[in-house]
Amino acid sequence: MSRLKQADKVDSLAGFRTTKPEPTVPLGLLKAARKSGQLNLSGRRLTEVPQNVYRLNMDTPEEAQDVSFGGSDRWWEQTDLTKLLLSSNLLTQLSDDVRLLSGLTTLDLHDNQLSSLPSTLGELKGLQQLRLSHNQLSSLPRELFTLKNLCSLSLQQNLLEDLPEELGQLENLTELDLSNNRLKELPSSLSCLTNLQKVSLHHNKLTSLPEGVSHLRILDCSSNQLFDIPASLSGMLSLEQLYLRHNKLSRLPQLHAPALKELYVGNNLIELLDTEQLASFTSISHLELRDNKIRTLPEQIPVLPELTRLDLTNNDISTLPASLSLLPNMKVLLLEGNPLRGIRRDLLTVSGTRTCDPEKADESQTAMTLPSMARVNVHNIKTLRTLEYSDKHADSIPDELFDAASDQGITTINFSKNQLKATPPRLMELQASVSDLNLGFNKLTDCSDICKLLQLTHIDLRNNQLSDLPSEMKNLTKLRSIILSYNRLKSFPEVLYEVLSLETVLLGNNQVCVVDPGRLMKLACLTTLDLSNNDLLNIPPELGLCTSLRCLSLEGNPFRTPRAAIVSKGTDAVLEYLRSRIPA
C-alpha cells in the first residue's frame, strides 16, 4: 500500500526529476513570472533549481486546467522569462536544462557554491547580464565567451587563476568585474573589448596590465603587485577614475588622461611628486596620496582648477609649500599622520575635516518638502549620489527619501544624529551601489543588516549602543575603514580580525580590555588604529610587530607601560619600545 500511495503522488514531470525530493517554488510566483517575465528566487536556500523553473515557458501551467479562470487570467498570453534571480542560495551546480530559458537577458547566480558551469550556458544568446560573483569557480566554459550580447559580467570572489584569450570575443561587454580572484596575468585579447568602460581587478596577483586597454572610464587595480603602469596606457583619453591603492608603485603613473577626475594611489611606495606630472591632471577633483613615503611637496604646485580633495594622510611631510593655498577650489585637505612642525595642531584638525558645511550647503540647493516634511535634496541625490537625512532626531527614515533615491546609483548615505534603534529596512534597496554609510549618533544595538551591503568601503557607527559586531561583517571584503568610537565594546570585535581589507579602525572611548596582536598582524593593510580611552591594563609587546601601523592611539588607558613620555613621542616610538620588550 505504501508504494501505491507513493505512486499516486508522482506527477507527469517525474522523468525530468532526480530521486531526491523536488525543491518547490510557490505556484503564485511562477504564475506572476509568466506574466512579468521576471522570477526572483534569491535567498531561498535552494540546493538545486526546480525543474519547473527551467520548463516555465514550455509546460502548460496548472491554471490552464481550471475552467473557472477569469478574463484577466489568460495564461496563453504568457511572456518568456527574461530575468532570473537565484542569488544567495546553496546551489553547487546548474543543470544543462538552463538552455531551455532561451529568452533570458539577466541571470543572477551570485553568492552560491558553484564550482563549475554547464557548457549550455552558451546557448543563451540573448543574455546581457551575468552575475557569478561569490562562488567557487576555478574555470569557465569556453562556450560562455560566445555570448555576443553580454554587456555585464561579474566574477568577483571566485578562484580564477587565469582566463582564456576567448574573453576578447565578448565584443559588447561594457562592465567586467574580476576582483578578489587569483589572477596573475590577463589575456592580451582584453584590448579587443572596445566597448568596455568599467573594469574591476582589485585583490588579485597582477604584476602587469595588458597593452592597449585605453578606452576605459573606470579602472580599479588596487591590491595587486604592480610596480608600474605600462606606457601604452598613457593615452587613456576617456579615463575618469583610476584606483591603484595597495600596490608597489614608486612614482605616480605617467598618464595623459585629460578626463581623469579621481586618482587613488594610497598605500604605495611613492617618495617624490613630479610637478610636470601633476600639471597633466587638468580635470582632477580627488587626489589620494595617503600612506606613501612622500617627504616633500613641490614648491610650485600646479594650479589644478578642479581639485577639491587632497589626501596626504600618513606620509613623511614636514613642511607645506605656500603654493598649496593657491588651489582655487580646495575643500578638503587631509594631513593627519605627518611630522608637520610649522603648523599648529588646531590647524591640522581643521585641515583633517571637511571645510564645507553640508547643512548650510543644503540651504543653498533646491529642495522640495514632501507631506512627511522630509527634505529631499534633489541635487545631492542626482548629482552627488548622496542620500542625507541627519540631525532630525527621527526614529525612522521617511519612505519618500528612498523613493527619490531609487535607481540613482546612491554611493553615500548619512542618517547620523537620529534616534534609530534598527537599520532602516529599505537600506537594502541601495545595496548595489552604496559604499559610504554613516549611522553615527543613533541608538543601534545591532547592525547585522548592513552586512548585506557588499560594496561598503566606509562605515561610521560611532555613538551607538553596540556591544559586539555580527560575524557576517566578514563578507564586507571592500571595507577600508570603520568608526566605532563611543559604543559598549569590551574587546576588539572578533569579526574585524577577518576583514583583511581594513585600513582604519577607530575604537576610542569604549571598554576594550583586550587586543590580540597575533591576529591583528594579519590585517596587513591596517595603518590607523585608535584604542584611546579604553580599559587596556597592559599593552602586549607583540603589538610592536604590527609594522603596517602608521598611527596608533593608546592614550587614556590604565596601563603602566609604556609610560606616557613614550606614548607622547608617537607611533614609531611606541612600536619600537614594544618590540624591545618582546622576550628573546
Side-chain angles (χ1 to χ4, degrees):
M1 287 294 294
S2 61
R3 291 183 179 178
L4 290 174
K5 289 181 179 179
Q6 289 175 359
D8 288 339
K9 296 180 180 179
V10 175
D11 60 39
S12 59
L13 295 179
F16 294 100
R17 302 180 187 277
T18 64
T19 56
K20 295 184 294 184
E22 170 71 8
T24 59
V25 176
L27 292 178
L29 273 182
L30 297 178
K31 181 178 177 181
R34 289 190 185 96
K35 292 182 179 180
S36 67
Q38 302 183 15
L39 180 58
N40 187 350
L41 297 177
S42 300
R44 291 180 172 269
R45 302 189 64 80
L46 296 175
T47 56
E48 62 183 47
V49 180
Q51 194 66 36
N52 56 358
V53 172
Y54 291 129
R55 302 185 61 84
L56 184 67
N57 295 126
M58 300 186 66
D59 295 336
T60 303
E62 290 190 13
E63 60 264 30
Q65 302 169 17
D66 184 0
V67 296
S68 64
F69 62 84
S72 60
D73 291 327
R74 294 184 290 188
W75 58 267
W76 58 87
E77 293 183 354
Q78 66 181 9
T79 300
D80 280 350
L81 192 66
T82 59
K83 187 173 185 178
L84 178 57
L85 308 182
L86 290 163
S87 63
S88 301
N89 280 293
L90 304 172
L91 303 177
T92 57
Q93 61 181 359
L94 201 62
S95 166
D96 285 344
D97 287 342
V98 70
R99 69 179 186 276
L100 301 178
L101 300 172
S102 57
L104 279 184
T105 59
T106 297
L107 178 57
D108 188 350
L109 291 160
H110 87 265
D111 191 20
N112 277 285
Q113 299 171 19
L114 298 170
S115 57
S116 64
L117 296 171
S119 60
T120 54
L121 203 60
E123 297 183 33
L124 305 181
K125 299 302 183 183
L127 202 60
Q128 298 175 16
Q129 189 171 63
L130 180 57
R131 302 172 190 157
L132 295 165
S133 59
H134 291 269
N135 278 286
Q136 299 172 22
L137 299 170
S138 57
S139 64
L140 301 170
R142 294 186 182 270
E143 291 81 1
L144 185 150
F145 302 105
T146 65
L147 299 174
K148 301 290 187 181
N149 289 307
L150 201 62
C151 299
S152 176
L153 176 59
S154 175
L155 288 160
Q156 175 192 2
Q157 200 84 32
N158 277 283
L159 306 174
L160 299 171
E161 296 186 2
D162 53 51
L163 292 168
E165 287 292 334
E166 285 84 351
L167 178 66
Q169 297 175 12
L170 301 177
E171 55 193 33
N172 284 307
L173 204 62
T174 59
E175 292 189 13
L176 177 62
D177 190 345
L178 295 167
S179 57
N180 290 92
N181 277 282
R182 301 174 180 179
L183 298 171
K184 295 181 179 179
E185 61 180 358
L186 296 170
S188 59
S189 62
L190 192 66
S191 61
C192 299
L193 304 179
T194 54
N195 289 310
L196 206 54
Q197 296 188 21
K198 180 179 180 181
V199 175
S200 295
L201 299 167
H202 61 83
H203 288 90
N204 277 286
K205 299 179 180 181
L206 299 172
T207 57
S208 63
L209 297 175
E211 305 280 333
V213 186
S214 58
H215 39 267
L216 301 175
R217 285 197 310 108
I218 301 173
L219 176 60
D220 188 346
C221 296
S222 297
S223 298
N224 278 282
Q225 299 173 22
L226 299 173
F227 288 88
D228 203 355
I229 302 300
S232 61
L233 297 184
S234 62
M236 303 183 79
L237 302 181
S238 302
L239 191 66
E240 295 179 8
Q241 297 177 22
L242 178 58
Y243 298 82
L244 293 166
R245 296 180 178 122
H246 291 284
N247 278 284
K248 299 180 180 180
L249 301 175
S250 58
R251 60 177 183 173
L252 278 177
Q254 300 294 311
L255 296 173
H256 175 62
L260 188 64
K261 294 180 173 63
E262 300 179 21
L263 175 61
Y264 301 90
V265 288
N267 294 90
N268 277 282
L269 305 172
I270 298 172
E271 296 183 0
L272 296 173
L273 297 181
D274 182 76
T275 303
E276 185 177 342
Q277 179 60 31
L278 286 174
S280 70
F281 299 145
T282 54
S283 300
I284 197 98
S285 64
H286 285 52
L287 179 56
E288 181 199 85
L289 294 161
R290 64 173 294 149
D291 293 287
N292 277 283
K293 299 180 180 298
I294 300 169
R295 293 182 178 276
T296 59
L297 299 178
E299 279 300 318
Q300 294 300 319
I301 292 182
V303 177
L304 302 174
E306 305 298 327
L307 188 64
T308 61
R309 181 185 178 96
L310 177 60
D311 189 349
L312 294 165
T313 303
N314 294 338
N315 276 282
D316 298 320
I317 301 168
S318 57
T319 59
L320 297 177
S323 58
L324 199 61
S325 63
L326 301 177
L327 296 171
N329 289 306
M330 177 74 74
K331 291 184 172 64
V332 182
L333 176 61
L334 302 172
L335 296 166
E336 187 177 357
N338 282 283
L340 289 164
R341 294 186 175 86
I343 296 183
R344 301 193 314 270
R345 178 169 289 274
D346 59 344
L347 181 57
L348 281 178
T349 303
V350 174
S351 298
T353 59
R354 288 179 173 83
T355 56
C356 55
D357 186 341
E359 293 296 327
K360 291 180 180 177
D362 281 351
E363 294 172 6
S364 63
Q365 304 291 354
T366 301
M368 63 179 180
T369 303
L370 298 171
S372 68
M373 299 305 292
R375 286 167 57 86
V376 178
N377 192 313
V378 179
H379 174 269
N380 278 359
I381 289 174
K382 293 192 174 183
T383 305
L384 303 180
R385 296 183 180 179
T386 297
L387 185 62
E388 182 163 354
Y389 194 76
S390 63
D391 206 8
K392 309 293 184 184
H393 304 286
D395 57 9
S396 64
I397 306 299
D399 284 337
E400 288 86 347
L401 265 80
F402 291 104
D403 293 341
S406 179
D407 298 323
Q408 295 298 324
I410 296 296
T411 60
T412 301
I413 294 176
N414 183 3
F415 292 160
S416 64
K417 298 181 182 178
N418 282 295
Q419 302 290 322
L420 301 177
K421 295 183 179 179
T423 308
R426 291 191 65 182
L427 203 58
M428 300 307 110
E429 297 175 13
L430 308 174
Q431 61 180 309
S433 57
V434 63
S435 60
D436 194 327
L437 176 63
N438 187 348
L439 290 170
F441 296 91
N442 279 287
K443 296 183 177 181
L444 300 177
T445 57
D446 179 77
C447 60
S448 298
D449 283 348
I450 69 173
C451 300
K452 300 173 185 175
L453 306 176
L454 299 181
Q455 304 302 318
L456 282 178
T457 58
H458 302 282
I459 302 176
D460 190 340
L461 290 166
R462 74 182 81 184
N463 292 76
N464 275 283
Q465 300 173 15
L466 300 170
S467 57
D468 201 359
L469 296 181
S471 60
E472 294 82 2
M473 192 168 280
K474 66 184 178 184
N475 296 327
L476 302 182
T477 57
K478 297 183 178 181
L479 190 62
R480 293 174 50 222
S481 71
I482 185 166
I483 304 176
L484 293 162
S485 312
Y486 292 96
N487 276 281
R488 300 175 180 178
L489 300 165
K490 295 187 177 180
S491 63
F492 190 97
E494 286 287 314
V495 69
L496 293 188
Y497 291 121
E498 302 181 53
V499 186
L500 302 184
S501 56
L502 277 172
E503 300 172 8
T504 299
V505 177
L506 305 185
L507 280 164
N509 294 280
N510 278 278
Q511 302 164 35
V512 175
C513 58
V514 61
V515 175
D516 185 340
R519 299 177 69 186
L520 203 62
M521 277 190 285
K522 296 179 181 179
L523 301 181
C525 300
L526 188 66
T527 58
T528 301
L529 176 60
D530 182 3
L531 293 168
S532 60
N533 299 317
N534 276 284
D535 295 336
L536 293 168
L537 290 172
N538 62 78
I539 305 299
E542 293 77 11
L543 189 61
L545 299 176
C546 298
T547 52
S548 64
L549 286 175
R550 301 290 297 273
C551 184
L552 173 64
S553 299
L554 295 172
E555 62 271 12
N557 281 281
F559 57 78
R560 293 189 176 183
T561 57
R563 296 186 180 277
I566 295 175
V567 174
S568 66
K569 292 181 180 179
T571 299
D572 290 342
V574 171
L575 295 179
E576 183 179 353
Y577 170 82
L578 291 172
R579 286 194 291 271
S580 71
R581 304 281 291 183
I582 298 175

